[in-house]
Amino acid sequence: MAHCNTVLSQLLKWVPRHEFETLAKQHHSGRSFRVASRWAQFVGLFMAQVTGRDSLRDIVDNLGAQAHRLYHLGGVELSRSSLARINRDKPYTLYEALFKKLLRRCQGVAPGHKFRFKNPLYSLDASTIKLCLSAFPWADFRTTKGAVKLHVGLNHRGCLPEFAAITDGKTSDIAIGRALRFPKGSLVVIDRGYNDYGGYKQLNDKGIFFVTRIKKDAAYRVVGRAAVLKSKGLTCDQRIVFTGVKASRQCPIPLRRIGYRDAKTGKHYVFLTNNLKLAAKTVADLYRARWQVELFFKWIKQNLKIKSFIGTSNNAVMTQIWVALCVYLLLAFIKFQSRLGKSMQQMLRLLQLNLFDKRDLMALLRGDRPPRPGFNRNQALLL
């Protein structure tokens, strides 16, 4: 029977230690470590995300129970105070940089999106993570509430969070939307929370297409019409220009207004886009595909630890969220490269139950039965 390292050890091999240490040196501040290290912190937080640990004590106790295996991982036992101090003081930017490195690796093996056009397709949205203001006073959001926001530009090629930013709860979605640098020729599906006439003009000038829902009170003039297939739920396909004082000044370009009625729900939607070539039904399907970013937020909130935190400082919260995003990318990379039919949730459940077992990772994820212990002739002679 072939010898295998623990499942955790095999997972961490996808994060080359020398690359991690290079990033750790670049993102270091304060005094040098005597015993603890950023790698030991990462091993602990990675284990906590995969297995769903809720507190510093829980993490440290579980690491202590597996102390005889930490040596092979390059990790060390951490006390609760040491882990809390590293989370509080050592820059979270290390894990933001690690996220970008893992993202580039995922992009090389990610499957394409389901549409026939070749343009990169993104969905842009944000999710609010609520915090207790008395415990997280820096996360001021409303009078009695605290929060941080996770902003994501989800690439539909593999459903990867290609653009990610974490801000306080008061930061405007529009400000983040304007700061993102999508590739030229991209098609970005935008939630109504990002309605920004100046932003539409900015995207158009950069050669980026967008699809969004038009404001109900938008003032416009129809300058052209195209025939639509009512059998597909389409109600109109118009060329418009804005006539409102602010909108016409900030976005003087002609745009396309498309009406669509969903056959299942009966709801009527009106979309706005600067793409004049796509079929009107494709535009409606693109906005429906925006639901993928909502599913992404739902998945990470249900399966990873980004709603309850093991530290109360800004740095500790940022560290925990970026490590969770790194775990998501690592799972996605394994799924893409291995071409497994299992969902990422199924993969995560298997890892939770077998993280410290000495089993072949791919055999575990495929669902192969564990090998039986080999027959030892010397032991039989003792009988």
Side-chain angles (χ1 to χ4, degrees), residues 24 27 31 55 64 82 90 103 105 154 168 217 247 303 324:
H27 299 271
R31 294 183 298 174
S55 66
S82 294
K90 300 305 177 183
L103 177 64
R105 193 170 298 161
L154 190 78
D168 60 73
D217 59 350
N303 295 283

Side-chain angles (χ1 to χ4, degrees), residues 338-342 347 350 359-369:
S338 61
R339 302 180 185 275
L340 291 169
K342 287 184 170 61
M347 291 170 57
L350 284 171
R359 291 188 59 185
D360 180 72
L361 174 61
M362 291 306 164
L364 171 66
L365 296 177
R366 284 195 305 267
D368 297 352
R369 290 187 177 183

